[in-house]
Amino acid sequence: MELQEFLKHFQPTAESLERIRLGKGIVGKTSYVAITALIVLGVAVTRISTDWMRLAVGLIAVALFLFYFISTQRFADKNPGVALLEGAELIRWKQVELAAKNLPSPPATPAVVDPTKPLPSILPGKEESDR
Amino acid sequence: MDQGKFLHIAFNFRGPTKVQELEPIFNQGVDWVRYAPNCWIVWTTSNAETWYSRLKPSLGPNDTMLIIRVDRSERHGWLPKWIWEWLDRVR
């Protein structure tokens, strides 16, 4: 089977594109960019005549996908709210996370150690175990 | 009725978190703070049994809950400054 004929099987129809619904947030937005980049590389493969260049573009596409996939997984693991939500949903998620009576929207301040206590020393492997 | 004290109330929701459903119940306390989607600290004059009675009807059969008194004299952690200030507020 010719490569172009093979790729025809993967051409998205309008109906299938309508069914694709990416999430919101940074991961959702960057997914559009990653998909566009992969489509551009796919089109480029069909226009290239030499085999070694096709292989090179294919390797770039695989590398791009792996970089995108690993990066978004790491980002989503560290920032689950920002990764998947945006706008009012993100604000609501933050409200669910932190709140107090008569304070539905607390200040978005970074976490700190207890300000009334001296800074504890954190030395991995040096602390004594409980007896 | 007891004197005021801190109770730590933690949940493990097997389904979606019931934060909005639980807030009116926590408002029965004198004051409360939520520092995580499943963790509240309540300043209350009621005891743990009373809080259990208030909260249990809102829990699902597979949800879990722990209500335990907090001793502020020994503490440490990593929290936004306003929560530390909330804990130190004179009531």
Side-chain angles (χ1 to χ4, degrees):
Chain A
M1 187 186 287
E2 286 293 315
L3 181 62
Q4 287 188 349
E5 197 179 326
F6 175 75
L7 288 172
K8 274 181 189 172
H9 291 283
F10 294 95
Q11 283 183 353
T13 63
E15 190 187 10
S16 65
L17 282 175
E18 277 175 14
R19 277 196 225 126
I20 297 171
R21 192 161 171 269
L22 294 173
K24 294 176 181 175
I26 289 171
V27 170
K29 293 284 183 281
T30 53
S31 294
Y32 285 112
V33 177
I35 288 169
T36 306
L38 289 172
I39 289 170
V40 168
L41 288 171
V43 171
V45 165
T46 63
R47 303 280 166 89
I48 294 169
S49 53
T50 51
D51 285 345
W52 71 268
M53 282 185 76
R54 279 184 186 172
L55 182 67
V57 173
L59 287 174
I60 290 169
V62 170
L64 179 70
F65 172 76
L66 287 175
F67 174 75
Y68 162 79
F69 186 75
I70 292 166
S71 301
T72 50
Q73 292 291 312
R74 281 185 182 166
F75 181 82
D77 189 43
K78 287 181 183 171
N79 312 280
V82 182
L84 298 171
L85 303 171
E86 64 185 31
E89 282 181 350
L90 181 59
I91 292 167
R92 183 63 206 144
W93 184 78
K94 292 199 176 213
Q95 286 173 345
V96 166
E97 193 180 29
L98 296 172
K101 189 174 185 179
N102 303 321
L103 187 65
S105 298
T109 52
V112 294
V113 291
D114 185 350
T116 64
K117 298 274 172 69
L119 200 64
S121 59
I122 300 173
L123 300 168
K126 299 272 183 182
E127 70 273 17
E128 282 186 21
S129 302
D130 287 353
R131 289 163 201 255
Chain B
M1 194 173 277
D2 296 341
Q3 283 188 322
K5 59 180 167 284
F6 285 105
L7 292 178
H8 187 274
I9 304 178
F11 303 90
N12 185 14
F13 300 114
R14 298 300 163 134
T17 59
K18 299 182 171 84
V19 167
Q20 285 172 308
E21 196 178 332
L22 294 176
E23 263 191 27
I25 301 168
F26 278 103
N27 283 336
Q28 294 175 51
V30 180
D31 205 357
W32 59 262
V33 69
R34 185 174 61 245
Y35 67 91
N38 61 333
C39 293
W40 272 258
I41 299 171
V42 189
W43 173 254
T44 180
T45 54
S46 301
N47 58 24
E49 287 83 0
T50 303
W51 278 99
Y52 174 85
S53 305
R54 289 171 178 169
L55 292 162
K56 182 65 179 72
S58 298
L59 300 187
N62 297 317
D63 294 340
T64 56
M65 171 175 64
L66 172 69
I67 305 169
I68 194 162
R69 189 166 184 164
V70 173
D71 176 7
R72 271 192 308 176
S73 65
E74 183 168 354
R75 70 182 200 196
H76 240 305
W78 187 247
L79 289 169
K81 194 161 176 264
W82 70 269
I83 296 182
W84 294 115
E85 290 166 353
W86 184 92
L87 285 167
D88 288 330
R89 197 178 301 154
V90 177
R91 293 177 172 85

